Amino acid sequence: MHDHSPDRDSPAPDPALEEEEQQEEIKEASKLSPTTIYEVIRLDGEEELRRNKLSLMWSGISAGIVISLSVLGEAIFRAHLPDTPARYLIENLGYSLGFLMVIVGRMQLFTENTMTTVLPLLDKPGWGVLGRTAALWAIVLIANVIGAFVVALFYAYGGALGDDLMAAMFELSLHAVGFEPGEAFARGIPAGVLIAAIVWMLPQVKDAAVAIIVIFTWLIAAGDFTHIVAGSVEMALLMVVGDLSVTDGVFDFFLPVLAGNVIGGTAIFTMLIYGQTRRDRERRLG
């Protein structure tokens, strides 16, 4: 007869180890509290503020170049899809490509910093932190714009894109910079809020990060909102071919959209999050 009894030589289960594993599973399954997410982003912001400025510059230039894939992705869809009412919603999925690469690749995108690097300043206000935050904002924004102009020159004169694709990119670019300054500003506010919302949600939804980035950046494009970095690629493309003057680009598009993104990302979303978590954080600190 076969003996089906448990192997007497096998070690008995360790209750303490089983309980520890169960606690880990519970921790993984539980939702992060708002204060925990706040601390994760704040610590990330402090790390960004300590980064080497030259590294920030190169990362920002890379982001300005790579974000152009959002414009290129939209143009590819527009050039190859039939002109139907549904095309608009489908082609805007292409807008997510550049953001996906930049955010997942941890490149420096100005609109992310309207939240990430502001939390350390709100947590410990002071001229030193304010100065470091302002310096990081300036470096990253300038670097993003440099990257946008570099890639715009390549698209315009590199010969890599066909006529149909270039026509679609110019069409998209003319629309993006064609708003009146007040409207460009207003449309920049929701875009700033949505980018800050992505930053806020990513620590909680690590496994769904790609979906979150795609959905929210698609919403920016589908809502026809204005984003300062992706829009800088479109602005730069028109400037380098002589279809847009520097004055019109800067005062009618760049500065209004920049202000809208900052207000949406910092003055609205970040301050709401700060107010939401302030009491709980103070209670936790005793």
Side-chain angles (χ1 to χ4, degrees), residues 15-92:
L17 183 60
E18 286 186 343
E19 184 177 353
E20 185 178 341
E21 290 176 350
Q22 187 177 20
Q23 289 298 323
E24 284 296 322
E25 290 176 1
I26 292 171
K27 190 182 295 183
E28 286 292 324
S30 63
K31 293 182 178 180
L32 296 176
S33 69
T35 53
T36 302
I37 297 173
Y38 182 98
E39 285 302 307
V40 169
I41 298 172
R42 184 185 65 80
L43 291 172
D44 187 41
E46 288 184 350
E47 183 179 339
E48 295 294 338
L49 290 172
R50 290 193 295 267
R51 283 188 65 182
N52 178 274
K53 289 180 172 55
L54 190 59
S55 297
L56 286 172
M57 175 67 76
W58 282 112
S59 182
I61 292 172
S62 299
I65 292 171
V66 172
I67 201 72
S68 70
L69 294 177
S70 289
V71 184
L72 181 60
E74 267 194 288
I76 289 171
F77 278 113
R78 174 165 292 199
H80 295 286
L81 287 173
D83 189 6
T84 64
R87 186 186 73 174
Y88 177 77
L89 296 178
I90 298 171
E91 72 182 16
N92 284 314

Side-chain angles (χ1 to χ4, degrees), residues 246-264:
V246 174
T247 302
D248 289 344
V250 170
F251 291 102
D252 292 349
F253 175 79
F254 188 85
L255 292 179
V257 173
L258 175 63
N261 285 175
V262 170
I263 287 175

Side-chain angles (χ1 to χ4, degrees), residues 53 56 130-140:
K53 289 180 172 55
L56 286 172
L130 178 62
R132 290 198 301 274
T133 302
L136 184 145
W137 276 27
I139 290 168
V140 172

Side-chain angles (χ1 to χ4, degrees), residues 5 56 124 153-154 165 180 191 203 205-207 213 233 242 264-265:
S5 61
L56 286 172
K124 295 179 180 177
L153 284 166
F154 172 74
L165 202 49
E180 292 296 321
V205 294
K206 291 180 180 178
D207 294 338
I213 295 167
V233 175

